[in-house]
C-alpha cells in the first residue's frame, strides 16, 4: 500500500521516521499494519509535525502542555523590560510577538482544549499582562489583546477559512474520500 503509493508518485520515505497515527471510529477499530521497505511502521498516540502536536484523540492539551512552559518563561522577561522603562505600547507589542505568535500558530488544535485548560491559558495570560502592569480590560481596550479563548477561536477560524478558500492549497482539492477506508489515502 504505502510503498506502492510512494513508487507511483516517485517519492521516497524513511521508514525509521514514519509513524502511524490511527484515528479509530470506535474502540474495536484496529489500526492497519503498514510496512515500508519491509519495515513495519510504528503506531503512536501522538506526533509532533511542524511544531503541532497531533494526538489520536484530536485534543490540543498536549500542544498546550508543550508551549505553556516557554510562554510562562516570558513573565520574567516582560518584568525586566518594564523595569528598563519601555513604553507600555512597546511592551504590549513584545507580549503579542512572544505569546500570541505561539497561540496563533497552534490555534487549530488549541481550540479543541477543554474549558479547564483554556482557563489555565487565561491565568497565564493574566500573569503576563500583570508583568506589563495592565489588566485584561485595559489590554483589550488599548491594545486589542483578546481573552485567550476568544483569540484562539478567532485565529482558528481565520486559518481554516484561509485554507479552504485558497485555490493553491492542496487540502480543499484532496478531501475526496475513499469509500472503503473512509480515507483520502489509497491503502489498497
Amino acid at each position: 500500500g504505502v510503498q506502492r503509493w510512494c513508487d507511483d508518485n516517485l517519492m521516497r520515505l524513511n521508514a525509521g521516521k514514519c509513524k502511524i497515527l490511527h484515528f479509530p471510529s470506535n474502540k474495536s477499530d484496529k489500526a492497519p499494519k503498514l510496512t515500508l521497505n519491509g519495515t513495519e511502521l510504528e503506531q503512536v498516540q501522538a506526533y509532533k509535525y511542524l511544531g503541532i502536536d497531533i494526538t489520536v484523540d484530536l485534543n490540543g492539551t498536549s500542544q498546550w502542555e508543550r508551549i505553556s512552559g516557554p510562554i510562562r518563561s516570558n513573565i520574567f522577561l516582560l518584568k525586566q523590560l518594564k523595569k528598563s522603562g519601555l513604553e507600555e505600547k512597546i511592551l504590549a507589542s513584545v507580549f503579542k510577538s512572544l505569546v500570541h505568535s505561539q497561540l496563533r500558530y497552534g490555534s487549530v488544535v488549541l481550540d479543541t482544549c477543554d474549558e479547564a485548560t483554556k482557563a489555565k491559558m487565561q491565568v497565564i495570560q493574566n500573569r503576563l499582562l500583570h508583568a506589563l502592569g495592565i489588566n485584561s480590560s485595559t489590554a483589550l481596550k488599548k491594545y486589542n489583546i483578546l481573552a485567550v479563548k476568544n483569540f484562539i477561536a478567532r485565529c482558528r477560524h481565520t486559518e481554516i477559512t484561509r485554507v479552504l478558500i485558497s485555490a493553491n492549497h492542496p487540502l480543499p482539492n484532496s478531501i475526496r474520500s475513499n469509500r472503503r477506508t473512509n480515507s483520502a489515502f489509497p491503502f489498497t
Side-chain angles (χ1 to χ4, degrees):
V2 175
Q3 184 64 53
R4 190 177 80 215
W5 184 88
C6 287
D7 292 342
D8 291 348
N9 291 283
L10 304 173
M11 187 175 192
R12 291 183 3 179
L13 297 176
N14 181 338
K17 292 183 179 180
C18 294
K19 309 291 182 214
I20 298 172
L21 266 174
H22 177 62
F23 303 97
S25 55
N26 59 49
K27 290 183 181 187
S28 64
D29 191 10
K30 300 278 187 213
K33 298 287 183 200
L34 300 176
T35 60
L36 183 61
N37 300 325
T39 303
E40 187 172 328
L41 300 179
E42 177 188 3
Q43 182 177 346
V44 295
Q45 299 297 306
Y47 190 77
K48 185 170 95 174
Y49 182 70
L50 298 176
I52 299 294
D53 292 355
I54 304 168
T55 60
V56 294
D57 63 357
L58 296 174
N59 185 299
T61 303
S62 68
Q63 177 78 11
W64 170 245
E65 289 169 354
R66 190 172 53 76
I67 67 169
S68 64
I71 288 174
R72 236 184 268 116
S73 70
N74 291 312
I75 294 171
F76 177 76
L77 173 64
L78 292 171
K79 283 181 180 179
Q80 294 305 308
L81 292 174
K82 181 169 174 52
K83 280 184 186 178
S84 73
L86 284 178
E87 290 179 45
E88 188 178 89
K89 178 176 150 182
I90 293 172
L91 291 169
S93 209
V94 170
F95 166 85
K96 287 179 178 182
S97 297
L98 296 173
V99 178
H100 277 183
S101 60
Q102 298 242 15
L103 297 176
R104 180 179 294 109
Y105 185 74
S107 64
V108 173
V109 293
L110 290 172
D111 197 43
T112 66
C113 290
D114 59 29
E115 293 302 314
T117 303
K118 288 179 182 175
K120 290 176 188 176
M121 294 177 197
Q122 187 62 52
V123 167
I124 291 174
Q125 176 167 298
N126 292 346
R127 288 181 185 156
L128 288 157
L129 293 174
H130 181 74
L132 301 179
I134 59 176
N135 61 33
S136 55
S137 63
T138 302
L140 177 61
K141 288 176 191 164
K142 287 177 83 173
Y143 307 110
N144 197 30
I145 297 174
L146 301 173
V148 172
K149 180 178 174 178
N150 298 338
F151 178 76
I152 289 171
R154 186 182 77 184
C155 292
R156 184 238 338 123
H157 179 268
T158 301
E159 185 61 19
I160 290 174
T161 302
R162 183 190 65 77
V163 166
L164 292 176
I165 65 172
S166 171
N168 299 322
H169 197 283
L171 185 61
N173 298 319
S174 68
I175 306 181
R176 290 176 183 67
S177 177
N178 176 308
R179 290 183 193 273
R180 189 173 69 79
T181 62
N182 200 26
S183 168
F185 187 86
F187 287 106
T188 57

